[in-house]
Amino acid sequence: MVARLLPPQVHVFVRDWLSANNVLLKSPAGHVLVDTGYVRHAPLTLALLASPRGLGGEPLAQVVNTHCHSDHMGGNAAVARAYGCGIAVPEGEVAAIEAWDGKALLLDYADQDAERFTPAAALRAGESHVWGDLEWEAIAAPGHDMGALCFYNAEHRILISGDALWEHGFGFVMPPAIDPAALPATRVTLERLAELDVRVVIPGHGEPFADFDAALERALSRVEAFEADPLRLARHAVKVILTFALLDRRSLPLAGMADYVERVGIFREFNARFFGMPPADFAEFVIVELERAGAVRRDGGLLRPANAAAG
Ligand SMILES: [Zn+2]
């Protein structure tokens, strides 16, 4: 297990695709939690945090976020309420959080939810913070989220990468027609990360992994494929967002899918800009692509995530 390469004060709660991983950095000087999962999972996040492997009844000093998507900050409010602690978010996210901008934060715009919170502090790229008795440098990681940060500990060569780098890929990136800076920034971020000496990556989703170079190589070749065909970014984004909604809602009625892609902003806007299909055709197109990828299945009148238990 790669997690054994981590020093004892670093504990990773590996979650799933609806909730990002939670990284607990323990120290007698005050425990710090990186990312809090999705709002629907807040009770589980709190239970994990309170468990003996977590805080075991001790206080939490601070919540910090790699970036402010709903699967990373959705539990912020619940955790901060339970422990009376402050929340620090990347500087580039502060304005969207303070305005609770449902489009910039991909909330109602992407049919996602989070409980509103007020950040107590901003984290800036280039700064270092001592969390869990370790020094973590905040590294700008724009691309999937333009305000995102990674956190790097040089002593143990650990990278907390958020959604900037997974073992197989990275979080979806906005097409150039929506944000011309996003895909170029994704490449720059990966090239910057490649300069680091990394032994273990703690990604936002999936198990911690050791083969940093192979992950970077896969990520860069994915960037290349997107650069060659930016429409792939649009297809990828709508598939990811619909899969997420299905994990959140567990199912959606197939008969309502045409209305759904007209009602939810990101589907409506992406269809208008990139696909130009009647809503029913667009919904069917996205569903068929996801079926082909093995991500969803039709179950009577319902669309469900492929691997979710019925009910
Ligand atoms: Zn994200």
Side-chain angles (χ1 to χ4, degrees):
M1 275 287 284
V2 169
R4 295 213 183 98
L5 298 174
L6 296 169
Q9 68 269 41
V10 177
H11 186 81
V12 184
F13 292 103
V14 176
R15 305 292 295 274
D16 56 19
W17 290 98
L18 189 61
S19 279
N21 294 339
N22 318 125
V23 188
L24 184 58
L25 304 169
K26 294 191 191 182
S27 161
H31 309 306
V32 173
L33 182 69
V34 183
D35 289 342
T36 59
Y38 191 63
V39 64
R40 182 191 287 283
H41 286 167
L44 176 56
T45 304
L46 289 173
L48 291 170
L49 203 49
S51 71
R53 287 191 310 149
L55 295 165
E58 292 185 13
L60 183 69
Q62 194 179 26
V63 164
V64 305
N65 290 125
T66 56
H67 64 295
C68 287
H69 285 156
S70 65
D71 51 332
H72 295 255
M73 59 72 169
N76 279 11
V79 172
R81 192 163 49 239
Y83 289 94
C85 66
I87 300 164
V89 302
E91 182 180 37
E93 312 275 24
V94 171
I97 289 292
E98 284 182 343
W100 205 245
D101 181 335
K103 184 171 183 185
L105 298 171
L106 300 177
L107 296 176
D108 54 312
Y109 180 65
D111 190 29
Q112 296 178 16
D113 200 8
E115 187 182 346
R116 190 167 184 166
F117 64 92
T118 305
L123 304 166
R124 290 171 192 85
E127 286 179 354
S128 287
H129 299 269
V130 177
W131 298 326
D133 294 330
L134 301 170
E135 192 170 322
W136 298 90
E137 185 192 345
I139 295 172
H144 160 71
D145 181 296
M146 294 306 283
L149 295 173
C150 292
F151 304 118
Y152 176 62
N153 172 255
E155 184 191 351
H156 295 273
R157 298 185 284 148
I158 305 166
L159 180 69
I160 298 175
S161 61
D163 290 347
L165 179 69
W166 300 332
E167 189 166 12
H168 299 275
F170 45 80
F172 80 93
V173 172
M174 285 293 181
I178 305 282
D179 183 350
L183 187 56
T186 303
R187 173 177 281 286
V188 169
T189 290
L190 292 169
E191 287 168 353
R192 184 181 300 143
L193 296 180
E195 291 167 14
L196 301 173
D197 183 8
V198 173
R199 188 167 71 138
V200 187
V201 179
I202 303 173
H205 302 270
E207 295 280 342
F209 60 91
D211 201 342
F212 179 56
D213 291 343
L216 277 175
E217 209 171 290
R218 283 189 289 268
L220 281 164
S221 66
R222 182 172 286 224
V223 166
E224 234 166 76
F226 285 139
E227 286 166 344
D229 178 10
L231 194 58
R232 280 180 66 155
L233 288 168
R235 284 201 299 271
H236 182 60
V238 292
K239 287 192 284 183
V240 167
I241 298 289
L242 185 58
T243 304
F244 190 91
L246 284 168
L247 291 173
D248 181 13
R249 298 176 176 277
R250 297 180 181 110
S251 69
L252 286 167
L254 282 161
M257 289 309 295
D259 288 341
Y260 183 82
V261 298
E262 272 297 273
R263 182 164 52 79
V264 178
I266 193 165
F267 295 111
R268 187 175 61 244
E269 186 178 342
F270 274 47
N271 186 23
R273 283 206 184 209
F274 302 110
F275 303 101
M277 296 180 187
D281 293 358
F282 178 56
E284 181 63 18
F285 163 74
V286 180
I287 292 167
V288 167
E289 290 252 313
L290 285 172
E291 281 177 324
R292 227 175 257 154
V296 305
R297 63 188 170 89
R298 296 179 214 236
D299 178 12
L302 297 174
L303 185 65
R304 294 185 187 277
N307 52 5

